[in-house]
Amino acid sequence: MNEKQLNRYRVISNVIEGNLKPCDAAESLGLSERQIYRLKKGVEEEGVSFLIHKNTNRKPYHAFDDDFKQNIVKLKKSDKYKDANFKHFQELLLENEGISISYNALYNLLTSNGVVSPKKRRKPKKHYRRKRKARKGMLIQIDATPFRMVW
């Protein structure tokens, strides 16, 4: 049991013994009185195990299998998909391998296994400043619109 569950058990056992009112227990645990009565009934019927979440130490239903994860990492590291970035790799997986996976899940899976996306970067272009004119006001600015401008 973790600290939160132990604290809940102490408070609920005080309610069961009559040392604490349900409204005070609700305030101390940050729950409603209805939930205190529910927890009290559960502890009386099932014991301390009622306060422990039933999915503790279980793998989530929507989590990927370890074999599935390793298969995707192995495919990415292979020569066939080595040069593809993550988005292109996702599309290739669906097209060639029949594996449907979201981009976020694929990104998290690959980056957690040390695979980086091969992103090509262009060199930045140099922007040269215009040379200053000899005198102030010598720069000619032209408007290329065919319409006559009225100021």
Side-chain angles (χ1 to χ4, degrees):
M1 288 180 72
N2 61 24
E3 197 64 36
K4 182 180 177 182
Q5 293 165 342
L6 284 172
N7 185 37
R8 275 190 176 187
Y9 179 67
R10 284 188 212 112
V11 172
I12 296 298
S13 62
N14 282 335
V15 171
I16 292 171
E17 293 169 2
N19 299 334
L20 193 62
K21 292 180 181 177
C23 60
D24 296 332
E27 189 176 319
S28 68
L29 291 179
L31 299 171
S32 65
E33 281 188 58
R34 180 178 165 277
Q35 293 301 316
I36 297 298
Y37 290 125
R38 183 185 65 82
L39 292 174
K40 177 183 169 189
K41 180 181 175 186
V43 169
E44 286 173 342
E45 291 176 0
E46 297 180 31
V48 183
S49 63
F50 182 79
L51 297 176
I52 300 173
H53 197 276
K54 304 303 183 256
N55 277 349
T56 302
N57 297 328
R58 288 189 187 176
K59 194 171 185 177
Y61 176 76
H62 61 277
F64 296 124
D65 295 339
D66 292 332
D67 296 334
F68 179 76
K69 291 179 184 178
Q70 293 307 317
N71 185 24
I72 289 180
V73 172
K74 187 172 74 174
L75 283 170
K76 177 63 179 140
K77 289 182 178 179
S78 70
D79 291 336
K80 187 176 179 183
Y81 301 116
K82 183 178 64 172
D83 295 331
N85 64 19
F86 288 171
K87 184 65 180 175
H88 189 212
F89 180 59
Q90 176 197 12
E91 294 167 359
L92 291 173
L93 279 177
L94 183 61
E95 185 179 313
N96 298 340
E97 309 295 330
I99 298 173
S100 176
I101 185 171
S102 71
Y103 177 80
N104 289 336
L106 181 69
Y107 177 85
N108 291 334
L109 173 66
L110 293 176
T111 52
S112 66
N113 284 296
V115 180
V116 292
S117 183
K119 297 177 181 174
K120 304 284 189 233
R121 300 277 187 228
R122 286 186 182 175
K123 285 174 56 176
K125 292 181 181 178
K126 283 191 174 181
H127 294 280
Y128 295 103
R129 293 183 63 103
R130 172 185 55 78
K131 293 201 176 202
R132 290 190 168 273
K133 296 293 180 184
R135 303 217 187 275
K136 190 174 186 178
M138 286 182 64
L139 182 64
I140 300 173
Q141 295 180 348
I142 299 172
D143 185 8
T145 62
F147 306 105
R148 186 164 185 266
M149 300 301 283
V150 179
W151 297 105

